[in-house]
Amino acid sequence: MRLATLSNGSPDGALVVVSRDTQRCLPATGTMQQAVERWAEAEPALRALADRLERGEGNTLDHGRLLAPLPRAWQWLDGSAFPQHGELMQRAFHLPPIETDRPLMYQGLSDRFLPGHADVSLPSEADGIDFEGEFGVITDAVPMGTPASAALAHVKLVLLINDWSLRAIAPIEMKTGFGWVQAKPACSVAPFAVTPDALGEAWRDGRVHLSLQVTVNGEWFGHPHGREMQFGFHDLIAHAARTRDLVAGTIIGSGTVSNADYATVGSCCLSERRAIEMIAHGTPRTPFLHFGDHVRMEAAGGNFGVIDQKVVQA
């Protein structure tokens, strides 16, 4: 089942169910947040609408009105679950390994998520504008202390996310020991949130087993695969819920998709490619983004739709 949110003048938009070919939709009751909060009640009605769509019913979907599936959320927790990404950054910048057996995670901006087709307004090219392609999940309410063995039952929807980053600001904020604020503007999200069962064999082991295809200004940048997470989403959920409940509508990200075979499959962010160049040549050769640059992301199979955006000056 594929869900989306259409703009209607309100902050949270209107929930719709979308056909498999993404060309038609039927209106559902309420918003995405309300559906996730009462999923046991809402899911049968949503699946009934999905069945009607596959029988040919529905209205033409206006793709220009699509917002992020969850335009704002109570909580956004982003992991860094692909070990190759961290290893490359450590090698390039001569950093010591992070000595922990826990998943890495930070709490980011959640009061807005940008539509996947909207221009991205940022203040300065000097801030080191970068993209980060990753997968994410939306959970229902997760009780404190939920173990990883029970956590996947709380995954209701799966997402494709571009976690925008400002690399020149990040090291300054990291030195304070208080985490990121300015370095992490609003994320962008592909238009469709997909139930795990709709992904079929691509959803297993708490991971999205799909390649993430990225282009910059129309040129191939990378297509790494989601299978190489060190910690699956069940581990990330359990980590986040160890000392607190997670409210329904919590979004949890995988972190930048990165593979050991990066020389062949490329990368999902500029900083990783620059790190690879630093290791090979001693200095980075790929610049960060300029105003007017386009970034496009799409997972193999098109389940989530496309993130295709231009960076513009605020």
Side-chain angles (χ1 to χ4, degrees):
M1 181 169 59
R2 182 178 283 104
L3 305 180
T5 295
L6 289 177
S7 62
N8 65 354
S10 71
D12 298 304
L15 177 63
V16 294
V17 183
V18 179
S19 61
R20 291 176 186 170
D21 64 5
T22 74
Q23 298 306 303
R24 290 170 291 109
C25 67
L26 283 170
T29 301
T31 67
M32 184 77 74
Q33 176 64 35
Q34 291 168 339
V36 175
E37 288 175 348
R38 52 181 183 82
W39 189 256
E41 173 189 346
E43 183 182 17
L46 294 172
R47 290 195 179 275
L49 291 173
D51 289 342
R52 289 172 55 190
L53 284 165
E54 298 316 310
R55 292 197 296 268
E57 297 185 42
N59 310 310
T60 300
L61 177 62
D62 184 351
H63 288 249
R65 289 180 56 204
L66 287 167
L67 302 176
L70 199 56
R72 55 179 181 171
W74 290 109
Q75 186 163 223
W76 156 235
L77 301 172
D78 196 15
S80 182
F82 289 88
Q84 187 61 56
H85 178 71
E87 291 171 12
L88 286 169
M89 304 306 288
Q90 289 161 13
R91 288 174 59 193
F93 293 98
H94 307 290
L95 300 172
I98 299 174
E99 299 293 343
T100 182
D101 57 358
R102 299 182 178 186
L104 302 178
M105 184 175 287
Y106 75 93
Q107 187 160 350
L109 184 157
S110 65
D111 65 0
R112 70 198 59 194
F113 290 89
L114 304 177
H117 58 79
D119 289 348
V120 179
S121 299
L122 294 168
S124 174
E125 293 178 344
D127 291 336
I129 303 169
D130 197 0
F131 53 86
E132 294 189 57
E134 58 184 276
F135 296 108
V137 298
I138 302 176
T139 73
D140 64 4
V142 182
M144 180 171 60
T146 295
S149 60
L152 286 184
H154 293 285
V155 173
K156 300 308 170 189
L157 296 162
V158 187
L159 305 169
L160 172 62
I161 300 170
N162 183 357
D163 176 30
W164 293 97
S165 296
L166 302 177
R167 300 298 187 183
I169 300 175
I172 299 170
E173 293 193 311
M174 289 173 69
K175 288 179 182 178
T176 69
F178 276 80
W180 290 307
V181 176
Q182 294 179 350
K184 288 292 186 177
C187 299
S188 303
V189 186
F192 307 124
V194 179
T195 51
D197 64 283
L199 294 175
E201 285 300 306
W203 175 256
R204 60 184 188 274
D205 306 322
R207 294 161 172 84
V208 179
H209 288 251
L210 295 170
S211 61
L212 177 48
Q213 302 162 13
V214 181
T215 63
V216 178
N217 296 325
E219 296 186 2
W220 175 88
F221 194 86
H223 61 271
H225 201 280
R227 61 177 167 247
E228 293 188 25
M229 290 174 73
Q230 179 181 7
F231 298 99
F233 280 108
H234 51 305
D235 300 307
L236 298 181
I237 293 168
H239 174 76
R242 181 177 179 272
T243 60
R244 55 178 164 171
D245 298 331
L246 302 184
V247 67
T250 293
I251 302 177
I252 295 181
S254 68
T256 306
V257 179
S258 179
N259 290 174
D261 189 19
Y262 57 83
T264 300
V265 301
S267 301
C268 278
C269 72
L270 288 164
S271 64
E272 182 171 300
R273 175 178 281 190
R274 286 166 60 90
I276 294 166
E277 293 168 345
M278 290 172 67
I279 294 167
H281 310 294
T283 184
R285 299 180 175 182
T286 301
F288 289 116
L289 295 176
H290 299 288
F291 296 136
D293 285 344
H294 287 257
V295 178
R296 187 183 192 278
M297 298 180 181
E298 183 178 15
N303 294 280
F304 309 101
V306 176
I307 298 175
D308 190 357
Q309 297 180 290
K310 180 171 68 172
V311 179
V312 299
Q313 186 166 21

